[in-house]
Amino acid sequence: MKATIFQGVGKVELQERPKPTIQETTDAVVRVVRSCVCGSDLWYFRGHSEHKVGPIGHEFIGVVEEVGSQVKDIKQGNFVISPFAFSDGTCPNCTHGFHTACLHGGFFGSGDEGMGCQAEYVRVPQAAGTLVVVPGSNYSDEVLASLLTLSDVMGTGYHAAVSAEVKVGDTVAVVGDGAVGLAGVLSAKLLGARRIVAFSRNKDRQKLALEFGATDIIAERGQAAIEAIKKLTEGIGVDAVLECVGTGEASDTSFAIARAGAIVGRVGVPHEVEIDAAGTFYRNVGMRGGPAPVRAYMDALLPAVLEGRINPGKVFDFVTNLDGIADAYSAMDERRAIKSLLLVS
Ligand SMILES: [Zn+2]
Ligand SMILES: [Zn+2]
């Protein structure tokens, strides 16, 4: 099969690899229909995070080819969404809703053979707990793109909003205009926020943020951005902050614009971030978030997509196939694209 292999900083390559097979009785093998490139793949591509040489990619939807003998509820031929992390769904961490901390779980796309998702086939461990069957068939390209976002970005943006405890009527700020930030805007809207402030200096992303429900755009950064929020909120700050970047500047801005008692919901993987313990203490500002348990949000988000209440697939603005994988990465690396979609089969 064809699989994308991370070769080192700035280099991904399509290679012929053995098609994965069932190794544990709890495994499934899925034929990939759509995959994509993630903002977190760029951290590796740019050399900001370590990744071993090997298969990469962690977001996909597809059709079940084969299941192990212990996998009961998932059948050959099922059309499925896979979260970016696999999980058994039964351990205490899963039952508390934190599937990314599953005691028998792990992550796709970390370099293990057969488990990179920018490929024709993927081996899925803990298939019964991990995969979500999508009812029906013959979905449009538009719906397929939205279903694919439930594998990561939409669930991750939603996790930022849930972690920040966005409530009906809130004023919410979303720091970050990548696919996750835009999904965060959509999530804040879904949870009933009244005013949603999106941070972006890019015209296309501003446009999509407004379409997803943003009411205000702030193009400034750093101190100027903090002052702009203060002006919008009569000096108080916002009720909830979604931090969807992970840099020190994004984190500093997020904590500075939170009102007393607000929570910063963070889903950007922290890179050189320091949290001010005393500053957050005196203002009672909270912090939650981490790797999104997107599996926990399927019950809320899958019907929203299938009923057409949300259309998060609009974050894909670059489409290619596996042969175009190098372009898919460079389009995002050069910020020519918000997110690259891969048509696999
Ligand atoms: Zn991802
Ligand atoms: Zn578990």
Side-chain angles (χ1 to χ4, degrees):
M1 70 158 181
K2 289 178 183 172
T4 303
I5 306 299
F6 177 79
Q7 294 282 33
V9 177
K11 198 164 178 231
V12 288
E13 195 177 87
L14 198 63
Q15 290 186 5
E16 197 58 39
R17 291 278 172 149
K19 184 180 160 186
T21 53
I22 301 287
Q23 289 176 21
E24 308 279 343
T25 53
T26 46
D27 284 355
V29 172
V30 176
R31 172 172 59 82
V32 178
V33 171
R34 296 284 186 277
S35 183
C36 52
V37 181
C38 184
S40 63
D41 295 329
L42 289 186
W43 289 109
Y44 311 124
F45 190 76
R46 291 171 176 163
H48 296 154
S49 301
E50 291 290 312
H51 191 288
K52 64 180 172 185
V53 169
I56 189 167
H58 55 263
E59 300 169 28
F60 71 104
I61 55 176
V63 177
V64 177
E65 278 261 308
E66 202 185 345
V67 294
S69 59
Q70 276 190 281
V71 181
K72 298 297 175 210
D73 296 327
I74 305 287
K75 308 237 174 318
Q76 188 191 28
N78 281 162
F79 179 48
V80 291
I81 303 173
S82 176
F84 65 90
F86 56 87
S87 56
D88 58 13
T90 54
C91 77
N93 289 340
C94 285
T95 51
H96 284 108
F98 290 89
H99 299 71
T100 42
C102 177
L103 299 177
H104 307 106
F107 296 90
F108 292 102
S110 308
D112 297 328
E113 206 59 45
M115 289 177 59
C117 307
Q118 290 155 1
E120 288 180 300
Y121 294 89
V122 177
R123 179 173 78 86
V124 179
Q126 306 294 348
T130 303
L131 297 173
V132 176
V133 177
V134 183
S137 57
N138 293 325
Y139 289 111
S140 65
D141 281 338
E142 197 183 14
V143 173
L144 289 176
S146 285
L147 292 172
L148 177 60
T149 67
L150 302 189
S151 183
D152 186 350
V153 287
M154 183 60 209
T156 296
Y158 195 74
H159 184 54
V162 169
S163 298
E165 295 186 4
V166 172
K167 287 181 276 299
V168 174
D170 274 357
T171 295
V172 177
V174 181
V175 178
D177 66 355
V180 170
L182 293 163
V185 170
L186 197 51
S187 301
K189 176 82 180 165
L190 202 57
L191 292 170
R194 186 182 59 85
R195 194 164 193 185
I196 303 169
V197 187
F199 285 64
S200 178
R201 47 177 55 186
N202 174 298
K203 283 274 172 283
D204 295 335
R205 296 171 191 227
Q206 290 176 352
K207 203 170 144 238
L208 192 51
L210 292 168
E211 200 181 325
F212 278 175
T215 53
D216 302 83
I217 300 283
I218 287 184
E220 288 88 351
R221 279 195 183 170
Q223 197 53 37
I226 297 167
E227 272 152 30
I229 283 279
K230 290 279 160 77
K231 214 169 152 190
L232 277 176
T233 57
E234 292 167 348
I236 302 299
V238 298
D239 302 314
V241 185
L242 280 53
E243 198 285 279
C244 304
V245 185
T247 61
E249 185 185 61
S251 178
D252 292 346
T253 301
S254 296
F255 283 98
I257 62 178
R259 67 157 164 78
I263 298 175
V264 175
R266 51 180 198 152
V267 292
V269 179
H271 287 79
E272 293 174 25
V273 169
E274 277 180 36
I275 312 284
D276 174 4
T280 50
F281 177 84
Y282 284 107
R283 295 192 303 119
N284 274 278
V285 168
M287 174 181 83
R288 295 196 69 191
V294 301
R295 181 65 183 78
Y297 301 130
M298 290 288 180
D299 289 348
L301 298 178
L302 180 56
V305 166
L306 294 177
E307 290 160 17
R309 283 185 278 126
I310 55 171
N311 198 353
K314 287 187 174 173
V315 296
F316 293 109
D317 55 353
F318 186 95
V319 181
T320 182
N321 56 24
L322 284 177
D323 293 315
I325 191 67
D327 262 355
Y329 272 77
S330 52
M332 285 173 66
D333 182 40
E334 293 157 17
R335 284 179 74 88
R336 285 185 280 121
I338 300 172
K339 193 166 175 69
S340 300
L341 177 73
L342 302 168
L343 307 172
V344 183
S345 65

